[in-house]
């Protein structure tokens, strides 16, 4: 995917008005060359596109490359005013630098200009970066906070940014995240009395094919009636890292069934020999023909296979292809969801319980 | 034009750059002259040098055209005097006469009161007693800077003092907000477009929020601010002016008296403010603004360490008329808020019924029309749109109009417009006697209510936050929230 990139300026500025002026200037420089008549200037002025404010918190320079890669892919779906915060409170010398850049992309057939501000802070000021973020947000657009890695839930920076944003996007599959400790913290963010923040999770989008397939078992009314007699869910997972995916998937089934008055227990089974993530997902129900089993399993080549056994009868299964999703895809999905994702928050709540 | 307080900040930052730009755009007649009057013992040449520096530094058009400036500066004169010195007014009269003869100013005079407010009455008195206010042919007008009084009583006294010498038609009370292009555009928006006025009423509008937020503290104005506070400094003038423009009935025409009659009607219709339920005051403590650590109000220069002065006000107002009955207007202003923003936000009522199938993720925020006065001057309308995809998901999107990208001409400064209007004899954008007095009546009501109550524990908001919790509670009680401008 090749876009026309215009990294124009990295002059350090810290004054908010100066940053805004710099952005305006950078946008201007990106416009088509040559003398423009008034109509052309109007057209160029409109090329600036923002559908949201995106705040990204990066803990150290090594995380920047990943973030830039994701944002690059994102800009065509979600042109935004992006504020990248490199906040390093633990570093001694107080430092505050800002640089701005704008990018114009033509992939979509339109000239789309997006803006980026990098704020780099050391020392005490890093904890108070929210005070600089606030005046830089474009009014009336949703504010998304993407925190790669484990959010520092107790920090001043996190809490002040959470006050500003409409949606917090995390990846609970990240190595730093411990579900036992962090799921309740995440849930608390969604339930703050003041400024309730919606939560988005890359893991939730990753689990989407598993959820779709499980739900589709119960599309026929004759099968759906078995949900009343559901009595257990088991999720197998493997590899290194956390059991966050398995917990969320089980929590999802539990919360949906609890909503129709069917509380069921969950079982998580760990197998170190399996690759990372969920490898098998099974729901058990009772019913007239005896115990039934609905199962989805990972198959080679990025596929999922389904199996349904009702009583002694093995039903027709199928295999579907699931393309792996890149981080920018996952982030794009999260940014499309308006407001609270009730299903996710209830799944998270069930996973905590 | 005679500027009293010619060595002050306002003259340097606003008046002189405004006059220069008027000259640059050929709005001033050839003989236009300025007589600066102040205590500072400058010579005429020193005055010219200072004014030249001011225009160079503060003019919105750069660089300053030296030959235009030279030509304009030939009309600059200076009289050093105290404002109560009768001999000084004799010198002033002689200078004015000379200019009438030499430059053909024809007896037309604008007396601009750019001094501290305590000098307004004495200057008026001396202008009257010395005969300068009436001498010769031509018109005589005065421009009075804000604050116009500090309560109803003092405003009435000042009005009486002025009317002993000048008639109301000669008096131009300035509120520079009214000179802003975007404020005037509110009237154009309402009365030149057919589609808004039919929904501009209690049936379609849920509520309005008017915000004048400043990220700055009180700068070096501690002594003044201690006595004024946010209620007198901003609410009494800017906020109530914005309110009356956005809520007034359509005037039959744009004659000054017709427009001002409609604005005063709004002020008269405001229900007395119950301070217990409808007014919140706050004062900022230390905090962080735009990445910078700042002191609290009580630590500012010339501020008492136990000061009770409010730096934040939020109120809920009701306008008792057919158009607005029971529609709340939320007004707020404050110092050291997270950003500088002045805007009027009109929140319309929700769609009465949503015919779309229920989806797991729901969010339907009502339509919102925001008129931004500063920064990013313009207007935007929030509407719901479908997110592309197989599922019915809605998201709000903005239809934006930015002044800067629709009109590539630079807007004149508010002072240019207002000074010119005064010289042309159009007082539409100036506050009338009854308007000012009515605004003070409202403010006095709030002050009296507050005086009868123990003040809240101050400071009650950290610099860089959106005001005290009580202000949020004021909205939450009605099931609403303040916007993030």
């Amino acid at each position: 995917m090749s876009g026309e990139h215009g990294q124009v300026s990295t002059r350090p500025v810290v004054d908010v008005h100066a940053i805004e002026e710099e952005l305006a200037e950078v946008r201007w420089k990106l416009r088509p060359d040559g003398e423009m008549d008034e109509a052309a200037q109007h057209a160029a002025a409109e090329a600036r596109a923002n559908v949201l404010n995106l705040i990204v918190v990066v803990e150290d320079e090594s995380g920047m490359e990943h973030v830039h890669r994701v944002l690059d892919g994102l800009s065509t779906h979600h042109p935004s005013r992006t504020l990248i915060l490199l906040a390093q409170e633990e570093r001694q010398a107080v430092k505050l630098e800002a640089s701005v850049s704008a990018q114009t992309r033509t992939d979509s057939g339109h000239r789309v200009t997006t803006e980026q501000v990098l704020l780099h802070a050391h020392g005490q000021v890093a904890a108070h970066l929210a005070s600089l973020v606030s005046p830089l947000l474009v009014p009336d657009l949703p504010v998304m906070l993407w925190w790669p890695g484990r959010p520092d839930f107790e920090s001043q920076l996190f809490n002040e940014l959470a006050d500003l944003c409409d949606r917090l996007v995390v990846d609970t599959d990240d190595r730093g995240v411990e579900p036992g400790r962090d799921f309740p913290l995440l849930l608390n963010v969604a339930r703050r009395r003041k400024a309730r923040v919606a939560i988005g999770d890359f893991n939730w989008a990753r689990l989407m094919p598993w959820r779709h397939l499980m739900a589709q078992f119960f599309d026929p009314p004759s099968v759906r009636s078995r949900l009343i007699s559901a009595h257990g869910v088991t999720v197998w997972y493997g590899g290194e890292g956390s059991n966050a995916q398995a917990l969320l998937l089980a929590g999802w089934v539990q919360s949906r069934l609890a909503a129709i008055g069917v509380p069921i227990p969950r079982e998580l089974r760990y197998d170190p020999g399996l690759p990372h993530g969920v490898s098998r997902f099974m729901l058990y129900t009772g019913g007239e023909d005896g115990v039934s089993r609905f199962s989805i399993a990972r198959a080679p080549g990025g596929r999922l296979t389904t199996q349904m056994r009702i009583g002694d009868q093995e039903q027709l299964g199928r295999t579907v292809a699931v393309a792996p999703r890149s981080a920018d895809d996952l982030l794009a999905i999260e940014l499309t969801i308006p407001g609270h994702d009730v299903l996710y928050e209830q799944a998270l709540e069930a996973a905590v319980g | 034009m005679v500027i009293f307080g010619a060595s002050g900040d306002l003259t340097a930052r606003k008046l002189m750059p405004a006059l220069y730009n008027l000259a640059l755009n050929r709005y001033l007649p050839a003989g236009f002259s300025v007589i600066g009057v102040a205590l500072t013992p400058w010579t005429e040449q020193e005055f010219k040098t200072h004014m030249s520096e001011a225009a160079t530094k503060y003019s919105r058009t750069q660089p300053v055209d030296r030959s235009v400036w030279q030509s304009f500066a030939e009309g600059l004169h200076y009289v050093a005097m105290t404002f109560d010195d009768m001999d000084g007014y004799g010198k002033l009269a002689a200078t004015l006469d000379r200019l009438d003869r030499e430059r053909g100013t024809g007896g037309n005079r604008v007396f601009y009161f750019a001094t501290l407010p305590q000098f307004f009455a004495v200057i008026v008195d001396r202008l009257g007693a010395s005969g300068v206010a009436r001498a010769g042919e031509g018109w005589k007008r005065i421009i009075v800077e804000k604050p116009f009084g500090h309560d109803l009583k003092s405003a009435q006294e000042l009005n009486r003092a002025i009317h002993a010498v000048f008639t109301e038609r000669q008096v131009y009370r300035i509120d520079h907000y009214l000179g802003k292009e975007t404020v005037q555009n509110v009237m154009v928006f309402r009365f030149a477009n057919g589609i808004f006025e039919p929904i501009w009423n209690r049936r379609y509008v849920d509520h309005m929020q008017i915000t004048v937020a400043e990220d700055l503290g009180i700068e070096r104005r501690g002594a003044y601010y201690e006595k004024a506070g946010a209620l007198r400094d901003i609410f009494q003038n800017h906020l109530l002016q914005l309110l009356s423009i956005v809520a007034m009935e359509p005037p039959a025409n744009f004659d000054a008296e017709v427009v001002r009659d409609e604005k005063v009607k709004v002020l008269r219709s405001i229900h007395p403010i119950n301070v217990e339920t409808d007014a919140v005051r706050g004062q900022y403590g230390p905090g962080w603004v735009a990445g910078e650590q700042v002191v609290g109000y009580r630590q500012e220069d010339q501020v008492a360490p136990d000061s009770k002065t409010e730096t934040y006000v939020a109120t809920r107002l009701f306008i008792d008329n057919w158009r607005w009955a029971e529609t709340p207007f939320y007004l707020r202003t404050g110092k050291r808020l997270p950003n500088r923003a002045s805007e009027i936000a009109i929140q319309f009522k929700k769609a009465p019924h949503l015919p779309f199938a229920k989806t797991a993720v729901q969010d339907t925020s009502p339509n919102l029309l925001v008129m931004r006065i500063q920064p990013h001057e313009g207007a935007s309308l929030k509407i719901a749109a479908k997110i592309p995809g197989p599922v019915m998901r809605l998201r709000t999107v903005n239809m934006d109009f930015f002044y800067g990208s629709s009109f590539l001409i630079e807007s004149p400064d508010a002072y240019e417009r207002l000074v010119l209007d005064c010289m042309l004899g159009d007082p539409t954008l100036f506050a009338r006697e009854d308007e000012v007095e009515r605004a003070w009546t409202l403010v006095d009501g709030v002050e009296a209510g507050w005086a009868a109550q123990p003040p809240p524990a101050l400071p009650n908001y950290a610099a860089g936050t959106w005001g005290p919790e009580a202000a949020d509670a004021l909205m939450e009680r009605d099931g609403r929230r303040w916007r993030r401008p």
Side-chain angles (χ1 to χ4, degrees):
Chain A
M1 208 161 49
S2 74
E4 179 191 337
H5 289 234
Q7 182 88 12
V8 169
S9 169
T10 49
R11 175 146 50 102
V13 280
V14 278
D15 175 67
V16 172
H17 307 296
I19 292 175
E20 287 284 359
E21 273 172 26
E22 188 77 8
L23 278 169
E25 199 175 306
V26 169
R27 281 199 299 274
W28 184 260
K29 284 186 188 159
L30 283 175
R31 292 169 191 183
D33 290 336
E35 288 294 310
M36 284 188 285
D37 61 16
E38 202 172 303
Q41 290 186 5
H42 281 210
E46 282 151 23
R48 169 194 176 190
N50 281 328
V51 298
L52 51 90
N53 292 291
L54 178 62
I55 307 168
V56 187
V57 180
V58 188
E59 279 158 8
D60 53 54
E61 281 89 343
S62 64
M64 291 296 281
E65 198 191 330
H66 169 65
V67 165
H68 276 303
R69 211 169 39 239
V70 174
L71 293 178
D72 200 36
L74 189 74
S75 62
T76 41
H77 319 273
H78 294 282
S80 59
R81 158 81 54 103
T82 306
L83 308 172
I84 304 173
L85 316 187
L86 183 52
Q88 299 172 305
E89 196 182 345
E90 66 290 349
R91 291 178 69 164
Q92 289 299 312
V94 171
K95 157 176 164 171
L96 177 61
E97 276 178 11
S99 56
V100 307
S101 64
Q103 277 192 359
T104 295
R105 302 189 67 117
T106 49
D107 324 20
S108 60
H110 303 282
R111 287 179 67 85
V112 176
T113 304
T114 60
E115 313 156 323
Q116 223 174 67
V117 180
L118 170 66
L119 301 173
H120 187 178
H122 289 176
Q124 198 191 6
V125 65
H128 298 280
L129 267 184
S131 71
L132 192 51
V133 166
S134 181
L136 287 172
L137 298 173
V138 180
D140 291 314
L141 293 179
V143 182
M144 309 289 183
L145 170 60
W146 173 35
W147 197 301
R150 178 185 182 265
D152 192 355
F153 290 100
E154 281 81 30
S155 72
Q156 183 147 13
L157 180 64
F158 175 82
N159 284 290
E160 289 183 1
L161 288 175
D163 280 344
L164 286 178
C165 74
D166 301 299
R167 189 175 197 84
L168 164 69
V169 180
V170 294
D171 183 358
T172 54
D173 214 25
D174 192 273
R175 280 170 188 278
V177 177
E178 284 176 28
R181 174 193 62 190
D182 296 331
F183 277 15
L185 293 173
L186 208 48
L187 203 56
N188 281 344
V189 176
R191 292 184 177 156
R192 289 146 59 107
R193 189 191 69 79
K194 198 178 164 187
R196 286 183 58 205
V197 179
I199 308 292
D201 183 353
F202 282 11
N203 251 344
W204 193 238
R206 284 192 196 104
L207 293 171
M208 205 189 298
W210 296 85
R211 292 186 283 130
H212 277 168
L213 290 172
M214 183 56 81
Q216 283 167 2
F217 279 128
F218 299 95
D219 279 345
S222 59
V223 185
R224 193 179 311 152
S225 59
R226 291 180 179 275
L227 284 175
I228 298 295
S229 54
H231 53 71
V233 57
T234 305
V235 182
W236 284 260
Y237 67 101
E240 290 184 5
S242 81
N243 61 353
Q245 282 190 23
L247 257 175
L248 278 173
L249 199 53
W252 170 67
V253 171
Q254 289 180 297
S255 63
R256 290 343 304 147
L257 287 170
I260 56 167
V262 185
I264 59 164
R266 69 166 171 247
E267 182 188 21
L268 302 188
R269 288 204 194 167
Y270 175 64
D271 182 343
L274 293 169
H276 175 73
V278 172
S279 55
R280 201 163 186 205
F281 174 31
M282 231 178 247
L283 178 67
Y284 310 94
T285 72
E288 284 173 13
D289 310 311
V291 173
S292 304
R293 203 180 68 185
F294 304 87
S295 155
I296 304 161
R298 195 191 287 276
R303 295 180 171 78
L304 295 180
T305 61
T306 68
Q307 277 186 319
M308 171 162 70
R309 202 168 76 189
I310 295 186
D312 298 334
Q313 293 290 314
E314 198 69 49
Q315 311 283 319
L316 199 61
R318 62 171 170 155
T319 301
V320 297
V322 178
R325 291 202 182 265
S326 62
D328 54 290
D329 268 351
L330 293 168
L331 183 57
I333 291 171
E334 280 307 325
L335 300 184
T336 316
I337 302 171
H340 284 255
D341 186 340
V342 180
L343 296 188
Y344 172 72
E345 284 173 16
Q346 289 178 354
L348 191 63
E349 188 178 6
V352 167
Chain B
M1 178 182 283
V2 180
I3 301 175
F4 293 95
S7 58
D9 223 28
L10 181 74
T11 306
R13 282 171 180 268
K14 293 291 178 186
L15 294 182
M16 213 34 75
L19 291 171
Y20 160 71
N21 277 290
L22 287 174
L24 186 67
N25 292 309
R26 305 182 308 278
Y27 284 116
L28 297 181
F32 179 82
S33 310
V34 174
I35 303 176
V37 177
L39 296 168
T40 315
W42 280 341
T43 63
E44 200 147 284
Q45 193 48 49
E46 282 171 326
F47 177 61
K48 286 186 186 188
T49 308
H50 280 104
M51 294 304 106
S52 170
E53 283 165 6
T56 308
K57 189 166 173 195
Y58 296 115
S59 169
R60 69 181 168 85
T61 54
Q62 293 288 352
V64 166
D65 184 320
R66 292 328 303 182
S67 47
V68 172
W69 173 261
Q70 283 308 331
S71 160
F72 169 76
E74 282 170 22
L76 292 184
H77 303 270
Y78 188 74
V79 175
M81 60 182 255
T82 56
F83 299 128
D84 59 351
D85 169 21
M86 283 305 285
D87 293 344
Y89 288 85
K91 267 193 286 178
L92 177 60
T95 312
L96 284 165
D97 286 344
R98 183 164 59 83
L99 291 177
D100 278 346
R101 283 194 311 277
E102 292 175 2
R103 294 179 62 87
T105 40
N108 295 334
R109 321 250 191 267
V110 176
F111 300 102
Y112 200 117
F113 294 16
T115 65
L116 290 173
Q118 63 261 35
F119 297 118
F120 293 169
V122 68
I123 295 170
V124 169
D125 178 72
R126 299 299 189 270
L127 283 174
S130 64
V132 174
R134 280 180 212 88
E137 295 173 356
W139 44 259
K140 313 282 181 283
R141 296 177 188 136
I142 63 171
I143 299 180
V144 188
E145 268 295 330
K146 83 175 181 88
F148 195 91
H150 52 86
D151 56 13
L152 177 62
K153 191 161 160 283
S154 58
Q156 284 172 330
E157 278 167 12
L158 184 54
N159 275 328
R160 265 197 300 277
I162 288 173
H163 289 149
V165 180
F166 298 100
T167 65
E168 178 62 21
R169 295 181 65 88
Q170 295 175 284
V171 184
Y172 290 71
R173 295 172 193 81
I174 208 164
D175 180 340
H176 71 269
Y177 250 58
L178 290 177
K180 288 182 184 285
E181 289 283 327
T182 35
V183 173
Q184 294 162 48
N185 196 46
V186 175
M187 285 192 267
V188 173
F189 201 89
R190 287 189 60 193
F191 305 131
N193 292 297
I195 60 168
F196 296 113
E197 208 44 33
I199 55 170
W200 213 264
N201 57 51
R202 63 191 302 270
R203 249 180 301 168
Y204 298 96
V205 174
D206 179 76
H207 73 279
M208 288 203 198
Q209 294 186 20
I210 306 180
T211 303
V212 174
E214 292 173 280
D215 52 356
L216 296 175
I218 52 160
E219 304 295 280
R220 295 179 308 277
R221 297 162 68 222
Y224 159 75
Y225 205 86
E226 273 286 85
K227 283 189 222 144
L231 190 68
R232 292 190 175 97
D233 188 44
I234 304 285
F235 178 90
Q236 186 269 344
N237 37 70
H238 301 337
L239 275 176
L240 288 179
Q241 285 290 353
L242 292 179
L243 173 72
S244 41
I245 287 174
V246 84
M248 72 198 234
E249 295 298 316
N253 56 51
F254 264 74
D255 284 354
E257 295 320 312
V258 178
V259 172
R260 297 197 291 183
D261 281 346
E262 294 303 341
K263 283 169 62 193
V264 173
K265 273 194 222 164
V266 173
L267 296 178
R268 285 210 195 100
S269 314
I270 296 174
H271 198 80
I273 301 166
N274 177 348
V275 294
E276 277 174 40
T277 54
D278 293 340
V280 170
R281 56 185 148 164
Q283 187 191 74
Y284 63 85
W288 288 73
V289 177
E292 209 180 320
Q293 194 163 19
V294 297
V295 298
Y297 177 70
R298 289 176 177 184
Q299 290 82 49
E300 301 271 13
D301 277 351
Q302 297 181 290
V303 169
D306 59 347
S307 171
K308 304 274 192 290
T309 303
E310 82 283 354
T311 61
Y312 177 98
V313 182
T315 60
R316 184 179 70 156
L317 302 178
F318 290 96
I319 298 175
D320 294 337
N321 62 20
W322 275 52
R323 184 188 285 266
W324 296 120
E326 291 167 26
T327 307
F329 289 76
Y330 301 92
L331 279 57
R332 64 176 160 165
T333 182
K335 297 275 183 197
R336 285 287 186 221
L337 300 182
N339 42 323
R340 180 178 76 108
S342 297
E343 60 161 47
I344 299 167
I346 298 129
Q347 167 114 38
F348 292 94
K349 290 190 173 165
K350 277 194 175 188
H353 168 67
L354 282 181
F356 311 105
K358 278 193 180 172
T359 55
V361 184
Q362 280 186 317
D363 182 44
T364 52
S365 45
N367 299 109
L368 181 80
L369 175 67
V370 180
M371 292 190 271
R372 279 195 200 90
I373 291 146
Q374 63 184 20
H376 313 298
E377 292 80 356
S380 67
L381 177 65
K382 238 186 189 182
I383 54 175
K386 183 180 177 303
I387 298 173
V391 189
M392 182 58 84
R393 277 179 176 167
L394 309 180
R395 181 156 87 189
T396 51
V397 293
N398 287 351
M399 288 173 71
D400 286 323
F401 151 64
F402 289 106
Y403 245 86
S405 49
S406 296
F407 300 102
L408 299 167
I409 21 175
E410 208 183 337
S411 296
D413 183 75
Y415 277 88
E416 290 172 42
R417 168 69 194 259
L418 294 171
V419 167
L420 188 63
D421 276 5
C422 172
M423 289 192 270
L424 295 172
D426 180 357
T428 313
L429 299 176
F430 293 83
R432 204 168 61 187
E433 177 183 16
D434 50 351
E435 212 173 334
V436 170
E437 291 187 1
R438 182 61 212 167
W440 279 123
T441 307
L442 281 166
V443 166
D444 281 359
V446 175
E447 289 286 0
W450 279 347
Q453 281 183 336
L458 298 173
N460 56 0
Y461 70 98
T465 64
W466 281 110
E469 275 187 22
D472 293 336
L474 178 81
M475 291 294 256
E476 279 164 19
R477 271 204 306 276
D478 297 345
R480 300 188 173 103
R481 280 174 72 172
W482 291 108
R483 282 168 34 73
R484 175 179 59 75

